[in-house]
Amino acid sequence: MKLQWIPSTTLSLLRMVQWVSRQRELKDASLQKAIQPAVQSVSTRLINASIDPPVIWEYLIDEIIAQDSDVDLSPALCEIALIRAGHSDLQSDQIAIAIHRSLETCRRAIATRSPRLADQLRLRYAPLKQAYESYGPGLVRSVGKAIWNGSPPTDWWPSRVSVHAVQPIANGAAGASTQQASVWIEAVLTDMDPDVPEWLRLVYQLTCMAISSHTRTHNSSSGTRSSNDTATGDGGGSSELPWATAIVPLILAKANDAGMIPGNHFPLTKALSMWHPELPSSKAPVVEHWWNEVGLNNQPTPIALKQLAAALSASNSSDPSTNFHTA
């Protein structure tokens, strides 16, 4: 699996806009002040059109991640996001033009303060790229074999993946495309926590991407579809399994076995909070207990995942010392 690294100025722009729209503070207060009116204008227009603004930002970001280059924003991409969000395609073009105009205002404000953002991103992602190239490929193969009990499908890992490196605003964050073999990650210069190297966050997203792609292909061929069209969500319909949670201890265990993280540390709680923040912190002991009692080694992966799903559900009304039956 070859990684194509992309310094993504457009994705950096969208994440800043999304951040400000969530009423969160940028480190650059003057930039926040400069783009706030345009962000508010878009939100107001979307609300008036009965569209939830956070949904648009998610779809726009997803459209950019799916590209294999740092593409410029366009009214067409904005319109695709609107239509995906449920807006009528009969009236979406004018709103898309207005959204694009506001985003261009934000882009110019960012370019004024960071005229060489692409070059800065290349410098920022260099340590992460070097660390992954040194340790990542072997760990990725090991994780794939563990998921598939030693024999992953030949197409489990794509031959090429685009990695969009973006400006850090959240002390480390990452995600994956729902459409293509693409991921994104904040180009932090140093590990956010010495116990959880940032290149492991990249391995986590690559694994989520492979699971999502495989499950989407399988569901498509069988005529079924999950509620959010992704395999990595822990909520939703009963057909979904808690992959996004289960692979965190798996990746840590394989990294530990290979001496890639300190042998006397198993930073599961930290890794869950950093890589999978949607999971409540109270669930970490449940995940740890499941891993110690069941894991992915003693029985087929789907059965182990169903036991984790049951334990997570039961923990809403009980303690984490759920008894697992492995027979």
mmCIF file of all heavy atoms in Angstrom, residues 20 30-44 102 105-106:
data_model
loop_
_atom_site.group_PDB
_atom_site.id
_atom_site.type_symbol
_atom_site.label_atom_id
_atom_site.label_comp_id
_atom_site.label_asym_id
_atom_site.label_seq_id
_atom_site.Cartn_x
_atom_site.Cartn_y
_atom_site.Cartn_z
ATOM 1 N N VAL A 20 -14.850 27.143 13.375
ATOM 2 C CA VAL A 20 -15.451 28.418 13.771
ATOM 3 C C VAL A 20 -16.971 28.298 13.820
ATOM 4 O O VAL A 20 -17.620 28.866 14.716
ATOM 5 C CB VAL A 20 -15.013 29.533 12.803
ATOM 6 C CG1 VAL A 20 -15.788 30.828 13.082
ATOM 7 C CG2 VAL A 20 -13.516 29.789 12.928
ATOM 8 N N SER A 30 -7.123 36.956 15.221
ATOM 9 C CA SER A 30 -7.407 37.897 14.136
ATOM 10 C C SER A 30 -8.002 37.182 12.922
ATOM 11 O O SER A 30 -8.874 37.723 12.232
ATOM 12 C CB SER A 30 -6.130 38.650 13.739
ATOM 13 O OG SER A 30 -5.160 37.764 13.190
ATOM 14 N N LEU A 31 -7.542 35.960 12.663
ATOM 15 C CA LEU A 31 -8.107 35.181 11.567
ATOM 16 C C LEU A 31 -9.551 34.807 11.875
ATOM 17 O O LEU A 31 -10.421 34.871 11.001
ATOM 18 C CB LEU A 31 -7.269 33.925 11.328
ATOM 19 C CG LEU A 31 -7.797 32.956 10.264
ATOM 20 C CD1 LEU A 31 -7.913 33.650 8.917
ATOM 21 C CD2 LEU A 31 -6.892 31.731 10.159
ATOM 22 N N GLN A 32 -9.789 34.421 13.112
ATOM 23 C CA GLN A 32 -11.159 34.081 13.500
ATOM 24 C C GLN A 32 -12.084 35.271 13.269
ATOM 25 O O GLN A 32 -13.194 35.114 12.729
ATOM 26 C CB GLN A 32 -11.188 33.681 14.978
ATOM 27 C CG GLN A 32 -12.590 33.416 15.503
ATOM 28 C CD GLN A 32 -12.679 32.131 16.296
ATOM 29 O OE1 GLN A 32 -11.679 31.454 16.518
ATOM 30 N NE2 GLN A 32 -13.874 31.772 16.712
ATOM 31 N N LYS A 33 -11.638 36.446 13.660
ATOM 32 C CA LYS A 33 -12.452 37.648 13.477
ATOM 33 C C LYS A 33 -12.681 37.944 12.004
ATOM 34 O O LYS A 33 -13.763 38.403 11.605
ATOM 35 C CB LYS A 33 -11.760 38.832 14.157
ATOM 36 C CG LYS A 33 -12.556 40.122 14.114
ATOM 37 C CD LYS A 33 -11.842 41.229 14.875
ATOM 38 C CE LYS A 33 -12.638 42.524 14.839
ATOM 39 N NZ LYS A 33 -11.933 43.621 15.580
ATOM 40 N N ALA A 34 -11.677 37.631 11.175
ATOM 41 C CA ALA A 34 -11.774 37.924 9.747
ATOM 42 C C ALA A 34 -12.770 37.022 9.031
ATOM 43 O O ALA A 34 -13.464 37.463 8.106
ATOM 44 C CB ALA A 34 -10.398 37.808 9.100
ATOM 45 N N ILE A 35 -12.838 35.738 9.440
ATOM 46 C CA ILE A 35 -13.704 34.809 8.710
ATOM 47 C C ILE A 35 -15.067 34.611 9.370
ATOM 48 O O ILE A 35 -15.968 34.050 8.752
ATOM 49 C CB ILE A 35 -13.023 33.437 8.523
ATOM 50 C CG1 ILE A 35 -12.885 32.699 9.860
ATOM 51 C CG2 ILE A 35 -11.667 33.594 7.864
ATOM 52 C CD1 ILE A 35 -12.319 31.289 9.723
ATOM 53 N N GLN A 36 -15.225 35.080 10.603
ATOM 54 C CA GLN A 36 -16.477 34.866 11.331
ATOM 55 C C GLN A 36 -17.710 35.365 10.571
ATOM 56 O O GLN A 36 -18.718 34.639 10.473
ATOM 57 C CB GLN A 36 -16.406 35.529 12.708
ATOM 58 C CG GLN A 36 -17.622 35.283 13.588
ATOM 59 C CD GLN A 36 -17.650 33.878 14.151
ATOM 60 O OE1 GLN A 36 -16.713 33.468 14.831
ATOM 61 N NE2 GLN A 36 -18.709 33.134 13.872
ATOM 62 N N PRO A 37 -17.700 36.583 10.008
ATOM 63 C CA PRO A 37 -18.908 37.055 9.298
ATOM 64 C C PRO A 37 -19.285 36.165 8.119
ATOM 65 O O PRO A 37 -20.474 35.888 7.898
ATOM 66 C CB PRO A 37 -18.516 38.459 8.842
ATOM 67 C CG PRO A 37 -17.438 38.891 9.790
ATOM 68 C CD PRO A 37 -16.668 37.641 10.092
ATOM 69 N N ALA A 38 -18.292 35.706 7.351
ATOM 70 C CA ALA A 38 -18.586 34.855 6.194
ATOM 71 C C ALA A 38 -19.140 33.507 6.650
ATOM 72 O O ALA A 38 -20.071 32.968 6.034
ATOM 73 C CB ALA A 38 -17.331 34.657 5.352
ATOM 74 N N VAL A 39 -18.574 32.953 7.716
ATOM 75 C CA VAL A 39 -19.060 31.677 8.240
ATOM 76 C C VAL A 39 -20.505 31.820 8.724
ATOM 77 O O VAL A 39 -21.360 30.971 8.453
ATOM 78 C CB VAL A 39 -18.162 31.178 9.388
ATOM 79 C CG1 VAL A 39 -18.743 29.920 10.028
ATOM 80 C CG2 VAL A 39 -16.753 30.891 8.878
ATOM 81 N N GLN A 40 -20.784 32.923 9.411
ATOM 82 C CA GLN A 40 -22.129 33.160 9.905
ATOM 83 C C GLN A 40 -23.112 33.348 8.762
ATOM 84 O O GLN A 40 -24.260 32.889 8.811
ATOM 85 C CB GLN A 40 -22.152 34.390 10.820
ATOM 86 C CG GLN A 40 -23.500 34.656 11.470
ATOM 87 C CD GLN A 40 -23.965 33.486 12.316
ATOM 88 O OE1 GLN A 40 -23.207 32.975 13.144
ATOM 89 N NE2 GLN A 40 -25.209 33.049 12.116
ATOM 90 N N SER A 41 -22.652 34.003 7.701
ATOM 91 C CA SER A 41 -23.506 34.207 6.533
ATOM 92 C C SER A 41 -23.927 32.874 5.914
ATOM 93 O O SER A 41 -25.093 32.676 5.550
ATOM 94 C CB SER A 41 -22.775 35.063 5.492
ATOM 95 O OG SER A 41 -23.527 35.176 4.305
ATOM 96 N N VAL A 42 -22.965 31.954 5.787
ATOM 97 C CA VAL A 42 -23.281 30.637 5.234
ATOM 98 C C VAL A 42 -24.268 29.902 6.146
ATOM 99 O O VAL A 42 -25.255 29.313 5.670
ATOM 100 C CB VAL A 42 -22.003 29.804 5.055
ATOM 101 C CG1 VAL A 42 -22.352 28.378 4.643
ATOM 102 C CG2 VAL A 42 -21.095 30.437 4.010
ATOM 103 N N SER A 43 -24.009 29.931 7.438
ATOM 104 C CA SER A 43 -24.887 29.223 8.375
ATOM 105 C C SER A 43 -26.317 29.753 8.300
ATOM 106 O O SER A 43 -27.283 28.968 8.287
ATOM 107 C CB SER A 43 -24.343 29.361 9.806
ATOM 108 O OG SER A 43 -23.086 28.731 9.937
ATOM 109 N N THR A 44 -26.452 31.068 8.247
ATOM 110 C CA THR A 44 -27.784 31.668 8.169
ATOM 111 C C THR A 44 -28.503 31.250 6.894
ATOM 112 O O THR A 44 -29.689 30.900 6.904
ATOM 113 C CB THR A 44 -27.675 33.197 8.236
ATOM 114 O OG1 THR A 44 -27.054 33.577 9.472
ATOM 115 C CG2 THR A 44 -29.051 33.843 8.150
ATOM 116 N N SER A 102 -18.724 32.961 -0.060
ATOM 117 C CA SER A 102 -18.330 33.182 1.334
ATOM 118 C C SER A 102 -17.051 32.425 1.682
ATOM 119 O O SER A 102 -16.175 32.937 2.396
ATOM 120 C CB SER A 102 -19.463 32.744 2.267
ATOM 121 O OG SER A 102 -20.603 33.551 2.104
ATOM 122 N N THR A 105 -14.038 34.207 0.509
ATOM 123 C CA THR A 105 -13.660 35.273 1.439
ATOM 124 C C THR A 105 -12.778 34.709 2.552
ATOM 125 O O THR A 105 -11.758 35.308 2.923
ATOM 126 C CB THR A 105 -14.918 35.915 2.045
ATOM 127 O OG1 THR A 105 -15.706 36.492 0.994
ATOM 128 C CG2 THR A 105 -14.544 37.010 3.044
ATOM 129 N N CYS A 106 -13.153 33.556 3.064
ATOM 130 C CA CYS A 106 -12.352 32.910 4.111
ATOM 131 C C CYS A 106 -10.990 32.491 3.568
ATOM 132 O O CYS A 106 -9.966 32.645 4.246
ATOM 133 C CB CYS A 106 -13.092 31.701 4.666
ATOM 134 S SG CYS A 106 -14.663 32.067 5.473
#
